[in-house]
């Protein structure tokens, strides 16, 4: 079903004071249409209005009205309230853009990312450290569309902001280096990509810890660069570290969520955000596929990764997938007598089979 798109009306030039020309929300060219609902947002054509509505405007239409209507009012209380609205607007745009990026909708993420950056500049002024997340968000959206020249400019702006603000912490540094690494990887500059991924992992470790999901993602992305260089032993080493990290995380979650799983009541948000769970699933499947394609398969690694995917499926309540991956893990690990994973894999399969026999909530 197509999303509902609000109507526009043509701009009447005489309705606005001289010197108050209106510009398109998306491309900043001269505007000829305005949103009929908020009447403070303008577009050069219907296509841009529709793209903006789907991308972000539907969520922020009414919030923009007081923000843009009260820009010239000198009253301090009004200005303070408007600044708070803008901060809220930045956060809404950031979350919407992140959600669309997690779904691979890079083009749809552009309007929210653009609005996030413009509003951040308005609130915090140019070259401040608060702009870096918005630059990186817009860079990621453009990277997915292969607009590498635009990405280079945005990352240059982000680097400059970080250089001008040496107090920026490891979190900002980590995100910047990851974006730079992904940019260089996309551009084919593999050595530069490895350099930035190394910094990404260093700052992720400093901020979140050696076994954090952020650090693990850095190792996974770095492995892809080594794969392109044909360094398979390094790839395997990094993938092993990623899999072991997730095995520890998921095992701990299973221990704490067992009762909720038995009640079929695990909240989808009780462990990691949806985008992170999807990302975890994609990483683990990629590692498993890599191992299956190798002439000399690492049986223990296959068992470890399949076990992780089984645990992830169990926690999400997909017992059929959990059984499938668990069986794959068991078949692999049985080729390694007395392996430390054997008992936990068997225990997981028993848990899945017992849950399948239980009546589902609302049945009977």
């Amino acid at each position: 079903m197509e999303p509902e798109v609000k109507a526009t009306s043509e701009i009447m030039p005489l309705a606005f004071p001289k010197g108050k020309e209106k510009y398109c929300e998306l491309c900043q060219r001269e505007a000829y249409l305005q949103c009929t609902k908020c009447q403070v947002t303008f577009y050069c054509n219907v296509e841009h209005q529709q793209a903006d509505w789907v991308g972000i405007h539907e969520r922020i239409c009414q919030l923009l009205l007081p923000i843009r209507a009260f820009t010239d009012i000198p009253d301090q209380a009004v200005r303070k309230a408007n600044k708070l609205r803008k901060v809220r607007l930045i956060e809404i745009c950031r979350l919407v853009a992140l959600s669309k990026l997690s779904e691979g909708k890079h083009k749809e993420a552009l309007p929210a990312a653009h609005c996030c950056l413009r509003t951040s500049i308005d609130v915090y002024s140019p070259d401040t450290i608060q702009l870096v997340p918005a630059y990186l968000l817009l860079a990621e959206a453009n990277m997915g569309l292969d607009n590498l020249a635009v990405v280079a400019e945005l990352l240059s702006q982000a680097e400059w902001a970080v250089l001008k603000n040496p107090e920026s912490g490891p979190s900002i540094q980590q995100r910047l280096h990851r974006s730079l690494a992904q940019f260089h990887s996309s551009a084919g500059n593999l050595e530069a990509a490895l350099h930035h991924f190394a910094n990404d992992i260093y700052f992720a470790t400093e901020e979140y810890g050696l076994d954090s999901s952020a650090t693990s993602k850095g190792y996974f992305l770095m492995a892809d660069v080594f794969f392109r260089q044909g360094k398979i032993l390094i790839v395997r080493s990094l993938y092993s570290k990623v899999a072991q990290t997730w095995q520890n995380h998921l095992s701990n979650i299973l221990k704490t969520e067992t009762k909720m799983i038995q009640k079929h009541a695990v909240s989808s948000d009780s462990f990691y955000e949806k985008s992170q769970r999807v990302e975890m699933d994609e990483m683990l499947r990629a590692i498993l596929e890599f191992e299956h394609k190798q002439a000399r398969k690492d049986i223990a690694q296959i068992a470890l990764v399949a076990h992780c995917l089984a645990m992830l499926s169990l926690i999400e309540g997909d017992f059929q997938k959990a059984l499938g991956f668990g069986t794959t893990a068991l078949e692999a690990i049985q080729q390694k007598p007395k392996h430390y994973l054997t008992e936990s894999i068997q225990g997981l399969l028993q848990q899945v089979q017992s849950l399948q026999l239980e009546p589902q909530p609302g049945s009977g």
Side-chain angles (χ1 to χ4, degrees), residues 27-324:
C27 66
Q28 299 303 300
R29 289 196 286 263
E30 187 176 357
Y32 301 97
L33 303 171
Q34 69 176 355
C35 172
T36 54
K37 193 169 183 181
C38 66
Q39 298 186 339
V40 293
T41 310
F42 305 90
Y43 305 97
C44 64
N45 57 42
V46 173
E47 288 73 23
H48 278 191
Q49 185 267 336
Q50 291 176 339
D52 190 40
W53 181 263
V54 172
I56 187 63
H57 194 70
E58 180 182 14
R59 294 284 301 275
I60 62 173
C61 184
Q62 291 307 295
L63 179 60
L64 290 175
L65 180 55
I67 289 176
R68 294 178 177 176
F70 300 152
T71 52
D72 299 326
I73 296 177
D75 185 271
Q76 289 300 313
V78 173
R79 286 180 175 273
K80 184 177 180 180
N82 226 16
K83 183 175 181 178
L84 292 174
R85 291 189 192 99
K86 289 176 182 178
V87 171
R88 181 181 164 215
L89 175 63
I90 291 168
E91 183 63 8
I92 292 172
C93 290
R94 185 185 73 84
L95 293 174
V96 169
L98 283 173
S99 175
K100 291 185 180 296
L101 288 172
S102 73
E103 297 171 4
K105 298 177 180 178
H106 295 88
K107 191 171 183 179
E108 282 190 21
L110 282 175
H114 273 296
C115 187
C116 182
L117 178 57
R118 284 197 306 271
T119 312
S120 295
I121 292 172
D122 186 26
V123 172
Y124 301 112
S125 76
D127 299 332
T128 55
I129 199 67
Q130 289 90 345
L131 301 190
V132 174
Y135 280 127
L136 299 184
L137 198 60
L138 190 53
E140 184 178 350
N142 278 282
M143 205 177 311
L145 299 170
D146 207 29
N147 298 329
L148 296 187
V150 176
V151 175
E153 175 61 27
L154 290 165
L155 293 180
S156 177
Q157 295 284 351
E159 279 190 286
W160 178 243
V162 169
L163 285 171
K164 287 194 68 176
N165 298 274
E167 76 282 0
S168 59
S171 175
I172 287 289
Q173 293 275 5
Q174 180 264 319
R175 292 159 68 186
L176 173 61
H177 282 289
R178 178 162 298 179
S179 293
L180 286 165
Q182 290 175 310
F183 165 68
H184 284 295
S185 180
S186 297
N189 305 321
L190 301 187
E191 289 301 324
L194 289 175
H195 167 76
H196 286 293
F197 275 132
N199 283 322
D200 162 19
I201 292 167
Y202 170 79
F203 286 114
T205 301
E206 187 176 347
E207 178 71 6
Y208 307 110
L210 187 61
D211 296 324
S212 68
S213 58
T215 307
S216 177
K217 179 69 180 294
Y219 283 124
F220 177 82
L221 294 170
M222 179 181 269
D224 180 65
V225 179
F226 280 119
F227 177 78
R228 290 166 66 183
Q229 292 181 331
K231 299 177 180 179
I232 301 303
L233 288 178
I234 299 176
V235 175
R236 273 190 152 153
S237 175
L238 292 171
Y239 278 168
S240 178
K241 189 166 187 62
V242 173
Q244 191 61 61
T245 297
W246 285 119
Q247 203 265 349
N248 292 336
H249 279 299
L250 292 166
S251 294
N252 289 332
I253 292 167
L254 269 181
K255 289 175 184 175
T256 58
E257 298 283 358
T258 298
K259 291 183 179 179
M260 297 299 288
I261 292 169
Q262 289 171 343
K263 295 177 181 178
H264 309 278
V266 176
S267 166
S268 60
D269 298 319
S270 63
F271 78 109
Y272 308 122
E273 295 179 355
K274 179 182 177 182
S275 60
Q276 192 174 6
R277 299 198 309 274
V278 170
E279 194 173 73
M280 189 194 317
D281 181 78
E282 290 174 350
M283 283 194 290
L284 292 169
R285 285 175 183 268
I287 296 171
L288 189 60
E289 182 181 1
F290 166 83
E291 284 299 341
H292 278 306
K293 287 181 177 178
Q294 299 307 303
R296 296 183 64 181
K297 295 177 174 54
D298 186 336
I299 299 301
Q301 180 81 327
I302 289 173
L304 176 63
V305 178
H307 184 216
C308 289
L309 285 163
M311 288 191 289
L312 179 59
S313 300
L314 173 58
I315 294 168
E316 291 196 312
D318 192 332
F319 301 149
Q320 200 61 39
K321 278 187 180 179
L323 188 61

